[in-house]
Amino acid sequence: MNQPLPGQPAQVPVLALGDVLLVSLQGELHDGMAEQLQQDITHRISTDRVTGVVIDISGVDMVDSFLGRVLAEIASTAGLLAARTVLAGMRPAVAITLVELGLTLPGLVTALDVDRAMELLNQRGS
Amino acid sequence: MNQPLPGQPAQVPVLALGDVLLVSLQGELHDGMAEQLQQDITHRISTDRVTGVVIDISGVDMVDSFLGRVLAEIASTAGLLAARTVLAGMRPAVAITLVELGLTLPGLVTALDVDRAMELLNQRGS
């Protein structure tokens, strides 16, 4: 179980850019935060008529199996609510570690950065 | 086995809107109702020249593996008869539970609400 350390933010901010949600993960994601984030995103998709979710992980040093599962679950849930999820800004070292761990994040669409993720969502939506 | 309770409707109404069928599920779907619904939909597709089916589940609190299978079977059967199926109005909590159960409804297209489902069917049909 990952528990938040004292002084760490308990919630991940979710910004709306048009009809796309932008989630910027920083540092480690703890169990409670992950669950809260998934609920926030699904709630926002349904109330704000969101068609896409961009998860920026450029501030994340390490994606382990827990975070990989959380990301896959967010993408699946968003998909059920008709929103597409793009994972943006993965660091090269993170990609290498993921492949070494055998975690290739099936079902997740990736983009080099947030700009390209937005382009991808706009292209597909048109 | 799910059995209908006394006083519950034994049949799910299927409305025709142009060449699209609109099915609005309310509450729990029982075994017999599910089978009847699938027969109704396939029959209507073949007799009424239907090109799309919208299944509105905004009144459904819980999608379990039984309902998930029924929905997938309806979509597959409709697909074999050249009609596209869109699942509309899934509640956020339902999406989260589905993903937790590992039921991601592959092969089912979703839309936030009935309006968007109709748009989707019209776009693709054109």
Side-chain angles (χ1 to χ4, degrees):
Chain A
M1 292 283 283
N2 292 316
Q3 291 299 330
L5 298 175
Q8 282 205 324
Q11 208 170 345
V12 179
V14 178
L15 308 174
L17 292 176
D19 53 1
V20 171
L21 290 183
L22 176 59
V23 183
S24 194
L25 294 187
Q26 300 289 337
E28 221 176 320
L29 192 71
H30 308 286
D31 280 3
M33 285 166 73
E35 202 176 317
Q36 181 67 47
L37 178 63
Q38 190 176 6
Q39 284 181 10
D40 284 355
I41 291 176
T42 48
H43 184 72
R44 292 281 287 273
I45 290 172
S46 128
T47 56
D48 300 357
R49 327 310 263 160
V50 165
T51 59
V53 180
V54 175
I55 304 179
D56 174 25
I57 58 165
S58 60
V60 175
D61 288 326
M62 172 67 198
V63 176
D64 56 8
S65 60
F66 170 73
L67 184 51
R69 188 165 50 78
V70 167
L71 294 172
E73 283 187 4
I74 288 174
S76 298
T77 317
L80 285 174
L81 298 174
R84 295 180 304 266
T85 303
V86 180
L87 199 61
M90 186 184 294
R91 296 187 188 177
V94 170
I96 292 175
T97 314
L98 276 175
V99 170
E100 278 171 0
L101 291 173
L103 300 168
T104 50
L105 307 182
L108 272 172
V109 176
T110 53
L112 264 188
D113 53 36
V114 171
D115 280 349
R116 297 206 187 188
M118 298 299 256
E119 266 174 38
L120 205 65
L121 288 173
N122 290 330
Q123 267 173 22
R124 289 217 202 157
S126 62
Chain B
M1 292 283 283
N2 292 315
Q3 292 299 331
L5 298 173
Q8 281 206 325
Q11 208 171 345
V12 179
V14 178
L15 307 173
L17 292 175
D19 52 1
V20 171
L21 291 183
L22 175 59
V23 182
S24 193
L25 295 185
Q26 300 289 337
E28 220 174 320
L29 192 71
H30 308 286
D31 279 4
M33 284 165 75
E35 202 176 318
Q36 181 67 46
L37 177 62
Q38 193 174 4
Q39 285 180 9
D40 284 354
I41 289 175
T42 48
H43 184 72
R44 292 282 287 272
I45 290 172
S46 112
T47 56
D48 301 357
R49 330 305 267 162
V50 166
T51 59
V53 179
V54 175
I55 305 179
D56 174 26
I57 58 164
S58 60
V60 175
D61 288 325
M62 173 68 197
V63 176
D64 56 8
S65 60
F66 169 73
L67 184 51
R69 189 164 49 76
V70 167
L71 294 172
E73 283 183 2
I74 287 174
S76 298
T77 319
L80 285 173
L81 299 173
R84 295 181 305 266
T85 302
V86 180
L87 199 60
M90 186 184 293
R91 297 186 187 176
V94 169
I96 292 176
T97 312
L98 275 175
V99 170
E100 279 171 359
L101 291 174
L103 301 168
T104 50
L105 306 183
L108 271 172
V109 177
T110 53
L112 264 189
D113 52 36
V114 172
D115 279 351
R116 297 208 182 188
M118 297 300 246
E119 267 173 37
L120 207 64
L121 288 174
N122 289 331
Q123 266 173 24
R124 291 217 199 157
S126 63

